[in-house]
Amino acid sequence: MSVHYDSILKHIDQHVTLSDQEKKTLCAALIYKKFRRKQYLLQDGNICTHDYFVISGCLRQYEVSLNGKENTVQFAFENWWISDWNSMLHSQPSVYNIEAMESSEVFMIEKNELEKLYTEIPKLESYFRKIFLNAFISLQKRILFQQKTAEERYLEFTKSYGWFEQRLSQQHIASFLGITRETLNRLKGQQHKEN
């Protein structure tokens, strides 16, 4: 088994235990792909057909509003999954773009392959259920997060995801927080003074 599979197998091992044969079956269904910085994995208007697991790098999922403003929904770093499940499940054009923020390596798994794996390896359905529940919890937190003041959002962001700042531009952090770059700079300045 290739060394490439280590990260995804370790991640799965944290949730369920697969046999050697089940691991081989899973790995055979994965597509390994490299993406250059600024390369798209998904563009709005296209139907999303894959779920993506980040081996290395960083991806960003965002939509562009009618006035041209980018609204970042989520980032995905090493050992995170990212996709547009609404587009995948309903075969509808996506409203999102998924873009590589850094040179990235990912495993892609096609929707129909995933459905087959659920039947062949029921433990994988349990694994993905746990992943989806965690994603749902994050989404619920994000809804509450967006209702806080800009200052509260920034403080919560730095507390939970301070390490993001080393790898993301100010523009993308501001987009994730739902504030302007100027507001972000002001909040950073304030926090710097207080520390």
Side-chain angles (χ1 to χ4, degrees):
M1 212 170 287
S2 165
V3 70
H4 282 309
Y5 297 110
D6 287 354
S7 58
I8 194 167
L9 293 176
K10 273 185 195 159
H11 194 268
I12 291 169
D13 271 345
Q14 291 169 9
H15 302 277
V16 296
T17 305
L18 301 182
S19 70
D20 287 345
Q21 185 52 53
E22 287 169 334
K23 287 177 183 178
K24 280 182 186 158
T25 303
L26 166 67
C27 291
L30 298 172
I31 302 160
Y32 169 79
K33 194 157 182 191
K34 286 183 176 184
F35 290 91
R36 295 181 316 280
R37 184 173 173 271
K38 296 198 171 188
Q39 191 175 355
Y40 287 98
L41 290 75
L42 173 69
Q43 287 188 276
D44 64 351
N46 294 334
I47 293 171
C48 184
T49 54
H50 293 82
D51 202 357
Y52 303 95
F53 178 84
V54 183
I55 303 165
S56 68
C58 171
L59 309 177
R60 176 173 77 112
Q61 184 173 4
Y62 67 96
E63 64 100 31
V64 180
S65 66
L66 292 174
N67 65 3
K69 185 179 166 223
E70 290 183 2
N71 300 302
T72 299
V73 178
Q74 67 168 328
F75 299 104
F77 294 93
E78 288 80 5
N79 300 320
W80 291 17
W81 288 93
I82 191 168
S83 188
D84 178 357
W85 273 96
N86 183 52
S87 175
M88 263 178 82
L89 288 174
H90 303 293
S91 297
Q92 291 179 342
S94 180
V95 297
Y96 298 111
N97 298 286
I98 299 178
E99 178 188 18
M101 306 304 300
E102 304 170 349
S103 293
S104 301
E105 294 177 278
V106 303
F107 281 126
M108 300 163 51
I109 189 157
E110 200 267 332
K111 177 192 171 188
N112 295 333
E113 282 295 321
L114 195 52
E115 293 294 340
K116 269 200 298 191
L117 285 173
Y118 288 159
T119 308
E120 289 175 44
I121 311 169
K123 283 180 270 187
L124 275 183
E125 195 159 18
S126 173
Y127 164 73
F128 276 102
R129 189 182 70 245
K130 290 172 186 177
I131 297 300
F132 291 144
L133 284 172
N134 283 329
F136 182 70
I137 291 164
S138 293
L139 181 64
Q140 286 182 317
K141 285 180 179 171
R142 184 135 170 79
I143 291 166
L144 292 176
F145 175 81
Q146 292 292 28
Q147 294 174 35
K148 296 182 176 181
T149 66
E151 188 174 10
E152 288 170 330
R153 271 180 274 161
Y154 177 68
L155 288 172
E156 197 171 305
F157 172 81
T158 53
K159 199 166 78 176
S160 301
Y161 305 111
W163 54 276
F164 275 24
E165 291 199 76
Q166 312 307 312
R167 297 175 65 179
L168 299 171
S169 72
Q170 297 302 299
Q171 175 190 339
H172 295 134
I173 292 170
S175 167
F176 179 75
L177 294 174
I179 59 179
T180 63
R181 222 168 15 174
E182 292 72 29
T183 302
L184 177 61
N185 287 335
R186 182 176 54 76
L187 292 170
K188 284 182 83 164
Q190 268 176 264
Q191 195 182 37
H192 189 68
K193 272 185 210 163
E194 286 165 19
N195 294 337

